[in-house]
Amino acid sequence: MDQRPRPTRGRPVATTHEEIEEAAFRLFDERGFAETTVEAIAESVGIGRRTLFRYFDSKNDIPWGRFADSLDHFREILADSPPGLPLHESVHQAMLRFNDFGPHAAPQHRRRMGLILSTPALQAHSVLRYAQWRGVIADHVADRTGLAPGDLLPVTVGHVSLALALSAYEFWLAHEESDLLDLLDSAMAGLRDHLA
Amino acid sequence: MDQRPRPTRGRPVATTHEEIEEAAFRLFDERGFAETTVEAIAESVGIGRRTLFRYFDSKNDIPWGRFADSLDHFREILADSPPGLPLHESVHQAMLRFNDFGPHAAPQHRRRMGLILSTPALQAHSVLRYAQWRGVIADHVADRTGLAPGDLLPVTVGHVSLALALSAYEFWLAHEESDLLDLLDSAMAGLRDHLA
DNA sequence: CACAGTAATGACACTCAGGGCCAAAAGTCG
DNA sequence: CGACTTTTGGCCCTGAGTGTCATTACTGTG
């Protein structure tokens, strides 16, 4: 989102996205998302409310962190997939790799998704993010099939891939011990059986 | 949502959901959704702003009309499906019947979905509606398979069914002459091929 | 017909998200 | 030190949503 080399001119920044995110999550844990005002988050970071809105477009955007960056990563994964691979395989593999946070980042990822998927306002806001994610898939499918990104198949594969991912995520969050990657596999296998 | 026999006591109601919906759509068409204030809608109906919020929980709920009622209908359709039918068939048939608005209601339905799917705020809000719709499917799948409604397969079938429906809707709205029912069929067939 | 009971209405006031505007702050560079 | 640059944050406004409560407009009864 903001990978510019940071010109050293002008007044220095007062905070970072990460710092705001951290403070916000602390407050969300304490009082809940709806009960935490943007004012409180800003105060907790030590910045003005107005400044916080320059780092995040809305309160709903805070839990998503720098999502746009990871979208670029997703796009690369798909582009790098071997051209010989069947389409459904390359999409499937990309989904697995995209969601493969190491043991290091997994806890924060779980915290983030847990908050998002359990908070109505955030669930709602998420579709706008999901739409971008689906777009990346649709573009890839269109590219490999020669169809337009708006044609039925690319759009459908995008939607269905998201559907599988969300199923897996919901189960993962509900079951502490489960493995997200296994679940993605299972969800896809289940769908295949179901349709057969 | 509100099928009580209308007790004849007390002060009579000043309006109806339908009347508000109509006035709102007229204003949305004129100025756009975001540019139309709740105040303006209320004024156009001739009621107070506070009263409007007793009919609809939020501005975002207005375009959905009485969605809860149609959910009950969807539940009935699924419950009535022949027990012999394969699961994926009963879900598929139910989706077709649920989305089969006659030529009478189709234009208003198109208008409604067109507004929702082209307005970010409404797209976002819709997930909360979709979640209920998915729940109906998950319950049905759980019922027929003996699984719990929260298990992976029922949840997945719910998500994927929604995915197919949304793909079809997006294409339908983008192509005036297309047939929604055909598109639902095509989307499902496309997915089957894709996975095979 | 008056009067009690009932239920919806709408005015008022308040909180909070979001955004436009702009003067002040806090750096760097020559 | 002074010019330049960029971020900050204060001020103020709009609009959604909610609690409270007096008022309104009915119905049904004596």
Side-chain angles (χ1 to χ4, degrees), chain A residues 146-157:
Chain A
L147 296 167
D151 281 347
L152 193 56
L153 185 70
V155 170
T156 301
V157 174

Side-chain angles (χ1 to χ4, degrees), chain A residues 9-11 14 47-48 50-51 54-55:
Chain A
R9 298 286 204 67
R11 177 172 173 166
I47 59 175
R50 192 67 187 75
T51 299
R54 287 209 189 82
Y55 283 79

Side-chain angles (χ1 to χ4, degrees), chain B residues 120-132:
Chain B
L122 292 176
Q123 277 183 56
H125 185 71
S126 302
V127 277
L128 308 176
R129 288 291 140 81
Y130 296 157
Q132 303 176 297

Side-chain angles (χ1 to χ4, degrees), chain B residues 112-127:
Chain B
R112 183 196 300 273
M113 296 310 291
L115 176 66
I116 290 172
L117 290 183
S118 70
T119 307
L122 292 176
Q123 277 183 56
H125 185 71
S126 302
V127 277

Side-chain angles (χ1 to χ4, degrees), chain B residues 78-90:
Chain B
L78 278 168
D80 288 353
S81 77
L85 216 59
L87 190 51
H88 70 94
E89 264 304 316
S90 68

Side-chain angles (χ1 to χ4, degrees), chain A residues 104-134:
Chain A
H104 173 64
Q108 171 61 16
H109 185 54
R110 191 184 191 104
R111 190 186 189 197
R112 182 195 301 272
M113 297 310 291
L115 177 66
I116 290 172
L117 290 183
S118 68
T119 306
L122 292 175
Q123 277 183 56
H125 185 71
S126 302
V127 276
L128 308 176
R129 288 291 140 79
Y130 295 157
Q132 303 176 297
W133 189 88
R134 286 190 287 108

Side-chain angles (χ1 to χ4, degrees), chain A residues 26-106:
Chain A
R26 214 176 315 116
L27 291 175
F28 294 158
D29 282 345
E30 283 173 25
R31 325 179 190 173
F33 181 81
E35 290 71 27
T36 304
T37 66
V38 172
E39 177 101 46
I41 301 170
E43 194 183 1
S44 155
V45 179
I47 59 175
R49 201 178 68 101
R50 192 67 187 75
T51 299
L52 191 151
F53 277 115
R54 287 209 189 82
Y55 283 79
F56 292 95
D57 286 342
S58 73
K59 180 182 172 183
N60 287 334
D61 281 304
I62 300 177
W64 280 97
R66 293 165 164 284
F67 179 70
D69 293 354
S70 61
L71 262 196
D72 291 341
H73 179 220
F74 189 41
R75 208 181 305 271
E76 282 169 26
I77 293 177
L78 278 167
D80 287 353
S81 78
L85 216 59
L87 191 51
H88 70 94
E89 264 304 315
S90 67
V91 172
H92 183 61
Q93 292 301 327
M95 279 178 61
L96 292 182
R97 289 182 56 194
F98 179 69
N99 286 293
D100 187 9
F101 298 75
H104 173 64

